[in-house]
């Protein structure tokens, strides 16, 4: 029987509705409007789409968004100056510099210039370090969106075999740590893994973030697996697909995320979550980050 769909659109809408209430309370009780600065450098079409989605989500929730669009020729020094001024801006609770940046700008330097208190992407080494040792701090949005999907779908992770395919700083590494923090037995596979199918067939929960369309096929999963597909690949004909052969794998899975409409909308919801948490801290309220 085909596995149940994990509806990221629906779950992200619930989260955004909860956040909109919190934004209303912050406004009413503390006279504080959460503020997010989004910085876009250059003309990357996918980045433009993502930035537009982030602005739209802010508007829906009553979060103040401030967009900075810089030309592709912007120097690293100019970008760092902008980040420093946003660090000091009392109306800004979160700073997001859309990645990737063009080659003449050192991404790590930009990320390290954002103060950790406004690092709503969770990419600063301080945030990453806190995640590693289990301290509160901003968690990166895509993996925390995956954890929220699993939680709200009622997937119990304790003692389960979780397999992550991919080892990027944005998804593979952080989701591995988050699954471990929930007491799963975690295996990280990647492009050099010798027998990928042998590893993925162990999974009770399989998270795939490789950027290769249809890489995981039905013969590579066991019956009843929960599958989270982080891939977003546009095929030559224009169709958007994940890293998992959805139709084949769904037949064996107990639950699976679609692409689009799975992980994607969750990333933005969790960015909104981090921004609201940061604003709550400004208001002196207890926060979970
Ligand atoms: N590019 C792709 N994903 C992300 C993300 O989560 N944050 C930022 N800043 N850039 C990205």
């Amino acid at each position: 029987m085909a596995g149940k769909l994990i509806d990221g659109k629906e779950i992200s809408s619930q989260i955004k509705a909860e956040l909109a209430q919190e934004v209303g309370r912050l406004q009413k009780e503390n006279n504080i409007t959460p503020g997010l600065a989004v910085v876009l450098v250059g003309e990357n079409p996918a980045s433009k789409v993502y930035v537009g989605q982030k602005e739209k989500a802010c508007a829906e929730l009553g979060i103040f968004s401030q967009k900075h669009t810089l030309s592709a020729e912007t120097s690293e020094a100019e970008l760092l100056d902008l980040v420093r001024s946003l660090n000091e801006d009392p109306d800004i609770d979160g700073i997001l510099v859309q990645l990737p940046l063009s080659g003449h700008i050192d991404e790590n330097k930009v990320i390290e210039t954002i103060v950790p208190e406004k690092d709503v992407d969770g990419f600063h080494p301080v945030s990453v370090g806190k995640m590693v040792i289990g301290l509160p701090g901003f968690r990166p949005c895509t993996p925390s969106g995956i954890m929220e999907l699993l939680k709200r779908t009622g997937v119990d992770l304790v003692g389960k075999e979780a397999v992550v395919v991919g080892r990027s700083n944005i998804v593979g590494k952080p989701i591995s740590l988050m699954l471990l923090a929930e007491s799963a037995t975690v295996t990280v596979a990647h492009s050099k893994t010798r027998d990928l199918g042998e590893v993925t067939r162990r999974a009770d929960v399989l998270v795939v973030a490789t950027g290769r369309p249809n890489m995981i096929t039905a013969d590579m999963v066991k019956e009843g697996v929960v599958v989270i597909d982080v891939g977003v690949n546009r095929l030559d004909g224009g169709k958007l697909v994940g890293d998992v052969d959805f139709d084949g794998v769904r037949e064996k899975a107990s639950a699976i995320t679609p692409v689009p409409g799975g992980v994607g909308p969750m990333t933005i919801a969790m960015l909104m979550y981090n921004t609201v948490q940061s604003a709550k801290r400004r208001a002196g309220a207890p926060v979970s980050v």
Side-chain angles (χ1 to χ4, degrees):
M1 203 182 73
K4 152 183 146 136
L5 268 192
I6 302 176
D7 188 343
K9 250 181 109 167
E10 170 64 29
I11 295 174
S12 67
S13 295
Q14 282 170 18
I15 293 171
K16 286 192 284 184
E18 293 161 16
L19 290 172
Q21 292 212 337
E22 287 203 52
V23 171
R25 269 200 301 275
L26 269 170
Q27 187 70 263
K28 196 161 146 231
E29 291 169 16
N30 305 88
N31 197 26
I32 280 181
T33 305
L36 175 67
V38 182
V39 182
L40 173 66
V41 185
E43 300 290 330
N44 182 319
S47 290
K48 281 187 182 173
V49 172
Y50 292 140
V51 165
Q53 290 170 342
K54 289 166 188 177
E55 284 189 288
K56 183 166 162 262
C58 284
E60 274 170 32
L61 268 61
I63 294 175
F64 164 60
S65 77
Q66 191 182 71
K67 182 175 162 188
H68 297 265
T69 308
L70 307 180
S71 82
E73 288 79 41
T74 302
S75 69
E76 183 181 284
E78 284 172 288
L79 178 57
L80 294 180
D81 277 346
L82 172 61
V83 169
R84 288 191 196 101
S85 72
L86 295 170
N87 283 342
E88 301 292 321
D89 188 334
D91 294 331
I92 295 299
D93 297 293
I95 302 171
L96 181 141
V97 179
Q98 188 65 31
L99 303 179
L101 293 168
S102 48
H104 68 287
I105 298 176
D106 180 347
E107 282 185 2
N108 287 323
K109 217 161 159 181
V110 176
I111 291 167
E112 286 178 37
T113 301
I114 298 171
V115 287
E117 292 75 19
K118 297 189 180 185
D119 174 37
V120 287
D121 251 335
F123 294 164
H124 191 288
V126 167
S127 305
V128 177
K130 286 180 169 175
M131 175 173 62
V132 173
I133 60 176
L135 287 177
F138 289 117
R139 300 296 189 253
C141 303
T142 300
S144 60
I146 295 170
M147 295 307 289
E148 208 57 40
L149 282 180
L150 293 171
K151 194 165 131 193
R152 293 183 188 230
T153 307
V155 177
D156 176 26
L157 291 164
V158 179
K160 296 288 170 58
E161 291 284 342
V163 175
V164 176
V165 189
R167 53 173 157 174
S168 67
N169 289 339
I170 292 187
V171 184
K173 282 182 207 166
I175 190 65
S176 305
L177 289 162
M178 290 182 192
L179 291 163
L180 182 62
E182 295 302 321
S183 302
T185 301
V186 182
T187 305
V188 185
H190 47 77
S191 54
K192 300 285 192 295
T193 295
R194 212 178 310 139
D195 185 347
L196 182 60
E198 189 262 326
V199 177
T200 55
R201 273 188 295 275
R202 277 188 232 153
D204 300 309
V205 175
L206 179 63
V207 178
V208 190
T210 64
R212 293 167 186 231
N214 299 325
M215 187 192 198
I216 303 296
T217 47
D219 58 305
M220 296 169 77
V221 301
K222 77 173 174 194
E223 205 65 48
V225 63
V226 173
V227 179
I228 306 289
D229 187 352
V230 190
V232 184
N233 309 290
R234 200 166 292 277
L235 299 182
D236 286 341
K239 190 178 176 213
L240 211 55
V241 300
D243 297 346
V244 174
D245 171 21
F246 181 82
D247 293 334
V249 170
R250 187 178 184 186
E251 287 306 312
K252 289 173 86 175
S254 59
I256 184 167
T257 58
V259 177
V263 174
M266 294 300 292
T267 298
I268 296 184
M270 300 319 287
L271 174 67
M272 299 298 113
Y273 175 84
N274 281 348
T275 304
V276 171
Q277 294 303 307
S278 188
K280 281 167 71 178
R281 178 155 47 214
R282 164 152 67 110
V287 290
S288 59
V289 296

